[in-house]
Amino acid sequence: NGVPELGVEESFVSSTGDMGWCISDKMPLRDAQGRILGTIGFSRDITELKLAQQARHKSETLLRSLFENMPSGAVIYSVLGDGTRGADYVITEYNVAGLKMENKAREQVIGKSLEELHPGIDAYPLVGVLHNVWSTSEPAFLPASLYLRKHENSGFWLEYRIFKLPSGEIVALFDDVTARVEAEQALREREKLLRMIVENVRDGINVLDLKTGRYTLMSPSQVALTGFTAEDILHIT
């Protein structure tokens, strides 16, 4: 048709049977009267670039799939300012598990700062740990220390694993550990109650560890009955 075709991407099969790609510029070849005699073309092999792009796309697709389907919540922050405030951490990515924990839709969190998502967050240890990771590039683990309320009388505990990407962004992986925290709290309360009973009961009480053959607990009344000190009794086998 006499119209030049520039920057056309084409595929080809090499003499070895491998697929390749090139960028071609094609222009009409004319005689002195302007009649088209044929086409002249120039091609540049872009096979290596194309393969690199395909590998990158495959890698990005895999990482995106892992990010979206991992059981832990995951959020990526870009950092503004000096990183010392929740307002300095702006959300660029949030995975499905994280959104479910937060009971939020993606459009409600992307572009928001940590402070906007959780007002008052500066009072919690999380921001300090984020800042330390951002400034030192050292990963960190933050045990259950953030209690987020769902309703007036209910909420959940989160623990975090935080690291820095080469891009300078911060990734925070978080898990709902409410069941574990509540179980540990209940155990401490039971132990406290048991100790109060043991220390105030009038009858003698002792607890023997059958594996070691040692006493692990003695009530004050039992100590008084034996005439030994508590430390002496707990070392008797």
Side-chain angles (χ1 to χ4, degrees), residues 83-86 89 114 121-132:
T84 59
R85 304 173 304 148
Y89 296 89
L114 180 57
I121 195 67
D122 289 351
Y124 290 84
L126 177 60
V127 174
V129 176
L130 287 170
H131 177 256
N132 189 62

Side-chain angles (χ1 to χ4, degrees), residues 2-3 12 22 26 44 48 57 78 105-106 117 145 154 166 178 189 192 225 228 233 235:
V3 179
F12 63 89
C22 64
K26 299 178 181 180
R44 182 174 76 257
E48 289 188 5
H57 176 71
S78 61
R106 191 177 301 274
L117 186 61
S145 60
S154 68
T178 306
E189 288 298 318
K192 181 180 178 181
L225 286 172
F228 292 102
I233 294 175
H235 287 81

Side-chain angles (χ1 to χ4, degrees), residues 3-77:
V3 179
E5 296 181 1
L6 305 177
V8 179
E9 183 177 308
E10 299 178 314
S11 62
F12 63 89
V13 178
S14 69
S15 59
T16 61
D18 296 321
M19 177 70 74
W21 290 266
C22 64
I23 290 289
S24 300
D25 295 331
K26 299 178 181 180
M27 295 170 287
L29 181 63
R30 301 176 185 272
D31 62 14
Q33 287 72 42
R35 291 173 297 191
I36 296 176
L37 301 176
T39 301
I40 183 170
F42 304 91
S43 298
R44 182 174 76 257
D45 190 338
I46 60 166
T47 301
E48 289 188 5
L49 174 62
K50 192 73 173 180
L51 291 174
Q53 289 175 338
Q54 289 179 344
R56 179 178 178 181
H57 176 71
K58 182 179 180 180
S59 177
E60 290 176 346
T61 300
L62 174 61
L63 290 175
R64 167 61 62 179
S65 178
L66 291 173
F67 179 81
E68 289 296 347
N69 293 287
M70 63 191 306
S72 296
V75 56
I76 301 178
Y77 300 105

Side-chain angles (χ1 to χ4, degrees), residues 168-185:
E169 295 174 302
I170 299 296
V171 178
L173 306 179
F174 53 95
D175 292 287
D176 184 343
V177 292
T178 306
R180 190 189 74 203
V181 170
E182 291 180 347
E184 290 171 349
Q185 290 175 339

Side-chain angles (χ1 to χ4, degrees), residues 210-228:
L210 295 178
K211 291 183 179 179
T212 64
R214 290 183 178 275
Y215 291 102
T216 59
L217 182 65
M218 289 283 182
S219 67
S221 55
Q222 181 72 9
V223 172
L225 286 172
T226 62
F228 292 102

Side-chain angles (χ1 to χ4, degrees), residues 176-202:
D176 184 343
V177 292
T178 306
R180 190 189 74 203
V181 170
E182 291 180 347
E184 290 171 349
Q185 290 175 339
L187 178 60
R188 285 193 295 270
E189 288 298 318
R190 287 196 297 270
E191 289 177 343
K192 181 180 178 181
L193 177 61
L194 175 61
R195 186 159 295 278
M196 289 178 60
I197 293 173
V198 169
E199 290 180 352
N200 292 280
V201 71
R202 297 179 64 180

